[in-house]
Amino acid sequence: MVDAPQAEAGKQYQEQGLRSDQEGYKLADPTLLAGFKEFDDGITLQILSVFPGFVLQQIQNCLAIRQVLPRGVEKTDLNWTYLGYADDTPEQRGVRLKQANLIGPAGFVSMEDGAVGGFVQRGIATAGDDQAVIEMGGDSTSSSPSRVTEASVRGFWKLYRRLMDI
């Protein structure tokens, strides 16, 4: 069941023509979005930053590991490893491979994920000794009832600095 705020947001998107379900805008191959029930929790989107250079993702049936490997001051490699299970059926394997066309370094949906590291690296190179402050939602790492906060980002980097002894 869709809750009232979600229904209202959906209505607003529809009224403004922001959704791709508008007349005339359809995928030539709608099976690109077809999937299968992977887990019993109903979650189909998770991107978990485990460490600054290590991310796990589940987007629909596309399971992957992203590794950011610094190769020097001006070069970083991004390894994107897709996963499946040995007991996947040929149909499940086909779904995973097709969804990789959406999600990945050259995917229709997330190609910017493969490029953003280069943007950040070039931006940092010009920043010299500048520093950034992340204070949306305050300056603590405490839990918040609102998702409009960067507390988890601050907590992530606080732990990273502690682990790196910096």
Side-chain angles (χ1 to χ4, degrees):
M1 180 174 183
V2 176
D3 65 15
Q6 285 179 326
E8 180 60 27
K11 180 181 170 191
Q12 290 174 1
Y13 271 85
Q14 187 70 31
E15 288 171 355
Q16 296 176 42
L18 298 175
R19 295 248 186 233
S20 62
D21 60 359
Q22 301 297 311
E23 189 175 324
Y25 295 100
K26 301 203 183 304
L27 288 171
D29 180 6
T31 65
L32 190 62
L33 301 177
F36 57 92
K37 186 175 180 180
E38 184 89 44
F39 305 107
D40 289 332
D41 59 9
I43 296 171
T44 59
L45 174 63
Q46 300 183 78
I47 300 175
L48 308 170
S49 295
V50 179
F51 213 64
F54 181 67
V55 177
L56 296 171
Q57 79 171 42
Q58 174 209 356
I59 303 174
Q60 297 293 62
N61 302 107
C62 189
L63 309 172
I65 298 170
R66 302 181 205 176
Q67 295 173 291
V68 178
L69 301 170
R71 297 293 186 200
V73 176
E74 296 182 8
K75 184 175 181 190
T76 301
D77 290 343
L78 172 60
N79 292 335
W80 210 303
T81 306
Y82 294 97
L83 305 171
Y85 296 99
D87 62 351
D88 276 351
T89 66
E91 292 79 17
Q92 289 172 320
R93 187 169 294 115
V95 166
R96 292 190 198 285
L97 291 170
K98 191 172 268 193
Q99 287 178 1
N101 289 302
L102 284 174
I103 312 301
F108 295 135
V109 174
S110 60
M111 69 177 81
E112 74 280 0
D113 290 359
V116 74
F119 300 151
V120 170
Q121 192 165 16
R122 286 191 301 277
I124 289 172
T126 64
D129 293 329
D130 290 347
Q131 296 181 14
V133 177
I134 302 173
E135 289 189 354
M136 184 171 71
D139 60 3
S140 77
T141 57
S142 300
S143 292
S144 168
S146 170
R147 293 183 69 185
V148 184
T149 178
E150 293 170 328
S152 62
V153 175
R154 289 188 293 272
F156 180 90
W157 288 107
K158 184 177 182 179
L159 175 62
Y160 175 76
R161 287 190 309 270
R162 190 173 80 217
L163 292 171
M164 296 293 105
D165 198 28
I166 53 176

